[in-house]
Amino acid sequence: MGALDFIGNKSSSGGVFGALIRLILRFFQFIFAITVAGLYGVDLHAAKQAGAYTDGKWVFAEVLAGLSAVTVLIYGIPFFKSYWAFGWDWVLFILWTALFGIFGKIYIPAHPTPKQGGIIRMKHAVWIDLINMLLWLVTACYATAIWFRSRGGKTMHTGRATV
């Protein structure tokens, strides 16, 4: 179990249990980001095929989904301490909040009929946006807590003072 020994060895980020929790959260962040890309991409593809105007809100959703997926992949690089980039988690949380607000205002009050499949799909997409927002909030809070907890070290030269 060499890899698990390394993860749990003097880890400031929760040891093996913390690593498993982060792995699960990041996995769901990736899956839901790809899901959002697919849900919003359907409308972008339909607009392109029809030669219609591409709305910036849908482009924003696609870009945010892509940024989130790439971020999770970068955080998955071995030995990359994702809590160093806790600020980026907060930025993504704010962007997901904005996306949820934009599309929630449009689609939450809607009452589509069963024949309005596109609106039903977008109502589902709004709730996936909310899940993404909450996942990024949890990882941002966790990474911030770990970053502040890991700062308690000793000075480089004498090792007597606390940093």
Side-chain angles (χ1 to χ4, degrees):
M1 296 192 103
L4 290 180
D5 290 339
F6 175 76
I7 292 171
N9 186 17
K10 198 177 182 214
S11 174
S12 63
S13 56
V16 174
F17 180 72
L20 289 174
I21 294 296
R22 283 191 317 278
L23 179 69
I24 290 167
L25 287 171
R26 298 295 184 195
F27 172 76
F28 282 116
Q29 284 174 330
F30 183 77
I31 294 300
F32 286 124
I34 298 302
T35 302
V36 165
L39 289 171
Y40 288 89
V42 169
D43 286 341
L44 285 175
H45 180 70
K48 182 181 177 193
Q49 293 297 325
Y53 169 73
T54 302
D55 194 345
K57 292 180 275 204
W58 274 259
V59 174
F60 173 64
E62 287 292 311
V63 169
L64 181 56
L67 284 173
S68 297
V70 168
T71 297
V72 170
L73 292 176
I74 290 171
Y75 285 174
I77 295 172
F79 311 114
F80 181 81
K81 304 222 181 259
S82 63
Y83 64 85
W84 288 344
F86 71 92
W88 181 244
D89 282 358
W90 283 109
V91 168
L92 288 173
F93 162 68
I94 291 167
L95 292 174
W96 279 109
T97 303
L99 186 70
F100 174 70
I102 290 168
F103 285 99
K105 184 177 179 186
I106 297 170
Y107 291 106
I108 289 175
H111 300 290
T113 64
K115 293 183 180 182
Q116 295 174 314
I119 295 176
I120 293 170
R121 177 178 37 79
M122 291 308 296
K123 276 186 84 96
H124 294 157
V126 168
W127 298 116
I128 300 296
D129 295 341
L130 176 65
I131 292 169
N132 271 313
M133 179 190 80
L134 294 174
L135 285 170
W136 285 102
L137 173 65
V138 169
T139 56
C141 289
Y142 184 76
T144 302
I146 295 302
W147 187 79
F148 278 108
R149 191 173 126 203
S150 69
R151 290 183 59 205
K154 299 291 182 182
T155 58
M156 185 182 337
H157 298 293
T158 62
R160 292 181 285 173
T162 303
V163 178

